[in-house]
C-alpha cells in the first residue's frame, strides 16, 4: 500500500510469513492453486494488471519462488494432497526451463545452471527501469536465480521420492546444478559473483563481481549449494558491507555506482532503487543465513529490534518498502509492503518462537 497491483514474485515471497506463520493455511492453499491456472510456457505471470489487461510474463525468479512457497506450505501442513495435485504443473515448469522459454530463460546443458535475459528487459527482482533505461538488466546467470533453481530441483527430488516418481531424475539434475554453482565463487574476493556468463557485444562472456545481497539466497534457502566455509564468508561479507539497521543495501557503499539516498524524480528514484537503497525484506534471508552459519538466536533477535521500533515511525503498524542506504536510513516508498511484513513475521517466528521451544 498504496500502490502496486498483484505480483507473483511478491506473493510467493510474502506467503510463508503472511499466511503460514499466522495459521491461514486454507488461504495459502487457495493462492497456490489459483496461480497454477496461470502457468504458461513454464512461467508464472509476474504481474496481473488492473482491469482487463492480460497477465504479464516477464520474470525469471517468480516461478522459482512458487516451488519455495509450496515447499514451505507442505513443511507447515504436511498436506500431501495439495502437493500431489500441483506436482504435474511443477514437472511442466522444470521441463519448459530445460528446453527453454521466454526471454532466453533456459538451462545451460554444460553446467546445469539457468541463463536468462534479453536486451531491454529486466527479469529479476532488481527490475527498476525508465522509459529508455533498464537500470540493472542482469543478463546472464544471476546468483539468486540459480540458488532458487537448485532449490526447485532439490524440492522436486524430495516430492518425487515421496510419490515414487523415478523419471526424470531430479536429484541428478540438482547435483549437476550444485556442481555448476561452484563457478559463482570469486576466489579473488572470497564471495559470490552476482552474475556469471554476462554476454558481451563481441560474443565474449564476463562475470559481474559487484557486492550485492543476492548471494545470501545461496545460504538462506532450504538447500544450500555452497560448502559451510563459503556460507560463512557470504554471511560475513554481507554483514560487514551491506547490513543496516532496517535491511540490506542493494550495493556496497564503496562501489562507484552506489546511490545512498532514494528520492527525486522518477529517473532518480529508478537509478537508486537497486543501487544502494536498503530493502527491509532482505533482512529475512540475512537472519536465516546468519542462523544457519552461527546458530545464535540471541544475535539473530538483535537484528530484528530496529524494525519493531519502525512499526511506529512511518506507516504505523507496518513496514516500509525501502530505506535510504545512508544514515539515518530514512524510510521511503510504500508505507506498507507485503514481502517486508511477511519476511519479518516469518523470521520473527524462527528467531523468537524457536527460543521459547528450546526453553
Amino acid at each position: 500500500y498504496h500502490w502496486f497491483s498483484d505480483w507473483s514474485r511478491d506473493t510467493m515471497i510474502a506467503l510463508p510469513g503472511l499466511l503460514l506463520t499466522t495459521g491461514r493455511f486454507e488461504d495459502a492453499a487457495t493462492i497456490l492453486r489459483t496461480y497454477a491456472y496461470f502457468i504458461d510456457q513454464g512461467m508464472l505471470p509476474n504481474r496481473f494488471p488492473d482491469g482487463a489487461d492480460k497477465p504479464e510474463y516477464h520474470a525469471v525468479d517468480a516461478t522459482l519462488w512458487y516451488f519455495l512457497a509450496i515447499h514451505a506450505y507442505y513443511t507447515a501442513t504436511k498436506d500431501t494432497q495439495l502437493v500431489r495435485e500441483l506436482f504435474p504443473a511443477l514437472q511442466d515448469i522444470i521441463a519448459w526451463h530445460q528446453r527453454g522459454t521466454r526471454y532466453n530463460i533456459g538451462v545451460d546443458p554444460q553446467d546445469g545452471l539457468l541463463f536468462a535475459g534479453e536486451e531491454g528487459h529486466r527479469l529479476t527482482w532488481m527490475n527498476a527501469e525508465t522509459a529508455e533505461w533498464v537500470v540493472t538488466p542482469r543478463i546472464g546467470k544471476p546468483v539468486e536465480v540459480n540458488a532458487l533453481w537448485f532449490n526447485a530441483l532439490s524440492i522436486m527430488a524430495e516430492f518425487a521420492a515421496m510419490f515414487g516418481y523415478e523419471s526424470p531424475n531430479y536429484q541428478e539434475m540438482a547435483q549437476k546444478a550444485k556442481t555448476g554453482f561452484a563457478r559463482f565463487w570469486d576466489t579473488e574476493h572470497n564471495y559470490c559473483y552476482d552474475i556469471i556468463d554476462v554476454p558481451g557485444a563481441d560474443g565474449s562472456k564476463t562475470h559481474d563481481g559487484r557486492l550485492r545481497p543476492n548471494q545470501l539466497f545461496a545460504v538462506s534457502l532450504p538447500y544450500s549449494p555452497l560448502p559451510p566455509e563459503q556460507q560463512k564468508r557470504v554471511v560475513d561479507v554481507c554483514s560487514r558491507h551491506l547490513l543496516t539497521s532496517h535491511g540490506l543495501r542493494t550495493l556496497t557503499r564503496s562501489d562507484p555506482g552506489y546511490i545512498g539516498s532514494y528520492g527525486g524524480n522518477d529517473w532518480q528514484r529508478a537509478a537508486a532503487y537497486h543501487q544502494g537503497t536498503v530493502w527491509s525484506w532482505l533482512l529475512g534471508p540475512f537472519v536465516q543465513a546468519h542462523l544457519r552459519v552461527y546458530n545464535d538466536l540471541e544475535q539473530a533477535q538483535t537484528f530484528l529490534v530496529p524494525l519493531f521500533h519502525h512499526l511506529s515511525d512511518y506507516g504505523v503498524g507496518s513496514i516500509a518498502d525501502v530505506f535510504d542506504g545512508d544514515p539515518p536510513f530514512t524510510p521511503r516508498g510504500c508505507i506498507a509492503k507485503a514481502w517486508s511484513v511477511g519476511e519479518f513475521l516469518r523470521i520473527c517466528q524462527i528467531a523468537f518462537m524457536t527460543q521459547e521451544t528450546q526453553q
Side-chain angles (χ1 to χ4, degrees), residues 211 241-242 249 251-258 260 276 325-327 329:
L211 179 55
H241 297 288
L242 302 177
R249 296 184 182 95
L251 189 62
T252 182
R253 296 178 76 182
S254 62
D255 191 282
Y258 173 82
D326 289 343
F329 311 115

Side-chain angles (χ1 to χ4, degrees), residues 15 36 85 102 150 160 180 208 213 230 249:
L15 185 147
E85 178 184 334
R102 299 174 176 89
F150 170 64
D208 184 342
Q230 291 182 359
R249 296 184 182 95

Side-chain angles (χ1 to χ4, degrees), residues 98-141:
Q98 284 185 292
R99 61 178 173 259
T101 184
R102 299 174 176 89
Y103 305 113
N104 280 329
I105 298 172
V107 177
D108 183 340
Q110 297 300 312
D111 57 17
L113 299 176
L114 206 59
F115 182 96
E118 286 182 355
E119 193 70 30
H121 295 280
R122 70 284 191 276
L123 302 181
T124 73
W125 80 275
M126 291 187 163
N127 57 0
E129 67 174 354
T130 66
E132 68 286 341
W133 178 38
V134 176
V135 183
T136 48
R138 303 185 73 224
I139 299 172
K141 297 170 182 173

Side-chain angles (χ1 to χ4, degrees), residues 243-247 249 253 258 260-262 276 278 306-307 309-310 313-314 320 322-332:
L243 179 66
T244 74
S245 54
H246 294 86
R249 296 184 182 95
R253 296 178 76 182
Y258 173 82
S261 179
Y262 177 78
V278 169
L307 281 186
H309 296 307
H310 165 67
D313 71 12
Y314 191 56
V322 294
F323 298 76
D324 283 345
D326 289 343
F329 311 115
T330 303
R332 306 287 188 184

Side-chain angles (χ1 to χ4, degrees), residues 124-185:
T124 73
W125 80 275
M126 291 187 163
N127 57 0
E129 67 174 354
T130 66
E132 68 286 341
W133 178 38
V134 176
V135 183
T136 48
R138 303 185 73 224
I139 299 172
K141 297 170 182 173
V143 64
E144 84 282 7
V145 169
N146 279 285
L148 286 163
W149 173 241
F150 170 64
N151 272 262
L153 293 173
S154 299
I155 288 166
M156 285 300 284
E158 181 182 333
F159 289 162
M162 186 164 61
F163 300 134
Y165 285 85
E166 296 182 357
S167 180
N169 190 331
Y170 295 111
Q171 187 60 53
E172 187 177 286
M173 294 165 64
Q175 184 57 51
K176 184 172 184 177
K178 182 177 183 178
T179 301
F181 200 90
R183 299 186 58 226
F184 278 100
W185 194 252

Side-chain angles (χ1 to χ4, degrees), residues 287-288 291 297 345-355:
V287 174
Q288 184 89 65
L291 280 169
L297 284 171
L345 287 172
R346 183 185 70 83
I347 210 66
C348 278
Q349 183 186 50
I350 293 170
F352 291 97
M353 299 302 290
T354 302
Q355 185 179 49

Side-chain angles (χ1 to χ4, degrees), residues 28-252:
T30 298
I31 288 171
L32 295 172
R33 283 193 179 97
T34 299
Y35 269 88
Y37 287 112
F38 293 94
I39 295 171
D40 184 80
Q41 295 183 39
M43 296 177 67
L44 258 64
N46 188 42
R47 190 169 78 95
F48 293 93
D50 294 332
D53 291 341
K54 293 181 179 180
E56 299 175 357
Y57 294 83
H58 53 59
V60 60
D61 56 336
T63 309
L64 304 177
W65 278 111
Y66 187 52
F67 288 80
L68 272 296
I70 293 170
H71 186 261
Y73 171 84
Y74 171 72
T75 301
T77 65
K78 303 304 178 187
D79 182 357
T80 57
Q81 181 177 344
L82 180 65
V83 176
R84 187 182 293 275
E85 178 184 334
L86 298 178
F87 190 74
L90 300 181
Q91 287 186 299
D92 186 57
I93 289 171
I94 298 296
W96 267 102
H97 281 67
Q98 284 185 292
R99 61 178 173 259
T101 184
R102 299 174 176 89
Y103 305 113
N104 280 329
I105 298 172
V107 177
D108 183 340
Q110 297 300 312
D111 57 17
L113 299 176
L114 206 59
F115 182 96
E118 286 182 355
E119 193 70 30
H121 295 280
R122 70 284 191 276
L123 302 181
T124 73
W125 80 275
M126 291 187 163
N127 57 0
E129 67 174 354
T130 66
E132 68 286 341
W133 178 38
V134 176
V135 183
T136 48
R138 303 185 73 224
I139 299 172
K141 297 170 182 173
V143 64
E144 84 282 7
V145 169
N146 279 285
L148 286 163
W149 173 241
F150 170 64
N151 272 262
L153 293 173
S154 299
I155 288 166
M156 285 300 284
E158 181 182 333
F159 289 162
M162 186 164 61
F163 300 134
Y165 285 85
E166 296 182 357
S167 180
N169 190 331
Y170 295 111
Q171 187 60 53
E172 187 177 286
M173 294 165 64
Q175 184 57 51
K176 184 172 184 177
K178 182 177 183 178
T179 301
F181 200 90
R183 299 186 58 226
F184 278 100
W185 194 252
D186 181 345
T187 55
E188 179 182 353
H189 297 101
N190 281 320
Y191 58 72
C192 287
Y193 290 111
D194 190 57
I195 317 165
I196 61 173
D197 293 348
V198 181
D202 60 355
S204 63
K205 293 181 180 180
T206 59
H207 302 332
D208 184 342
R210 284 174 289 187
L211 179 55
R212 295 187 183 275
N214 301 307
Q215 60 190 292
L216 279 168
F217 294 100
V219 185
S220 66
L221 295 177
Y223 295 92
S224 175
L226 296 175
E229 63 274 13
Q230 291 182 359
Q231 294 176 22
K232 183 177 182 296
R233 178 60 188 174
V234 165
V235 171
D236 289 347
V237 74
C238 289
S239 177
R240 187 174 303 117
H241 297 288
L242 302 177
L243 179 66
T244 74
S245 54
H246 294 86
L248 275 82
R249 296 184 182 95
T250 40
L251 189 62
T252 182

